Amino acid sequence: MTNTVLRIDASARHDGSESRALTQRILDRLQPERVIHRDLAKAIPTIDGDWLAANWTPEDQRTEAQRETLALSDTLIDEIKAADTLVIGSPIYNFGIPATLKAWVDQIARAGITFKYTEAGPQGLLAGKRAIVAITSGGTQVGSEIDFASGYLRHVLGFVGITDVQFVAADQLMVDADASHAKANAALEALAA
């Protein structure tokens, strides 16, 4: 049994969202003791010059305004650290991830906190966690040459140290919804709780 899950919903839709429904089915399968929910439909601000300046200022030298600028980022990182498993629900929008999910990535990818630079290259600092990505699309086949979402998510999660990444895909829903749901159901049944 998974103790704590961080559920991240990236769909702009609430009603009728395939990725939200699939994410809920994954949670039902895992039966975690605790769920932390981050709904990215409630926009995550994009990073800007003030954020970058605050991030690159040593912690003990930050102003109160800089600490406030990084407060959401700190909270988002704390949510990941508190979780054993991340369950990320992401539709594919225009061949990639939603902008709000990219904004979340930018907020949590912080040198010295979620990864560090070494002589051998970057090293993730969030090792020992599992991620399950519920990914949906209308026409893009997950894993195809036009899917810029799944590879990116696998890479960025690995970049911060989360290398145990599984996908439950309901892709090409506009092409053949029945086949898409059947494939997602099979992947869901194969998930270890």
Side-chain angles (χ1 to χ4, degrees):
M1 175 188 283
T2 300
N3 294 330
T4 301
V5 165
L6 171 58
R7 174 184 179 160
I8 299 167
D9 283 307
S11 176
R13 294 172 50 196
H14 285 90
D15 295 336
S17 168
E18 291 279 352
S19 65
R20 287 176 188 271
L22 191 52
T23 300
Q24 184 58 53
R25 292 185 59 216
I26 292 168
L27 287 176
D28 292 345
R29 172 95 174 147
L30 296 179
Q31 298 182 343
E33 293 175 7
R34 177 178 174 226
V35 176
I36 302 165
H37 188 203
R38 177 60 62 176
D39 188 345
L40 300 182
K42 300 170 185 164
I44 297 288
T46 56
I47 61 173
D48 59 16
D50 291 340
W51 189 96
L52 291 171
N55 186 49
W56 291 112
T57 299
E59 187 174 356
D60 63 346
Q61 297 174 28
R62 288 182 189 139
T63 66
E64 186 58 34
Q66 288 176 320
R67 285 195 236 351
E68 288 176 16
T69 297
L70 295 176
L72 175 61
S73 174
D74 292 338
T75 297
L76 297 174
I77 292 167
D78 287 344
E79 290 173 353
I80 298 170
K81 288 180 176 179
D84 304 298
T85 301
L86 282 68
V87 176
I88 301 170
S90 179
I92 294 177
Y93 290 164
N94 302 311
F95 315 105
I97 63 171
T100 56
L101 185 53
K102 175 61 167 72
W104 177 85
V105 168
D106 289 343
Q107 291 279 350
I108 63 97
R110 287 177 57 192
I113 299 174
T114 58
F115 71 94
K116 67 180 179 179
Y117 292 108
T118 70
E119 291 180 10
Q123 176 186 349
L125 300 176
L126 299 175
K129 298 182 183 300
R130 174 186 185 195
I132 303 168
V133 180
I135 194 163
T136 61
S137 77
T140 301
Q141 182 180 6
V142 171
S144 71
E145 65 182 22
I146 62 170
D147 165 21
F148 298 100
S150 64
Y152 174 76
L153 288 171
R154 182 181 301 281
H155 177 80
V156 79
L157 289 166
F159 181 75
V160 297
I162 303 170
T163 56
D164 181 0
V165 181
Q166 297 170 278
F167 287 87
V168 176
D171 57 356
Q172 296 186 302
L173 286 159
M174 301 300 285
V175 177
D176 188 343
D178 291 340
S180 180
H181 286 129
K183 182 172 77 169
N185 289 340
L188 186 64
E189 291 301 316
L191 279 179

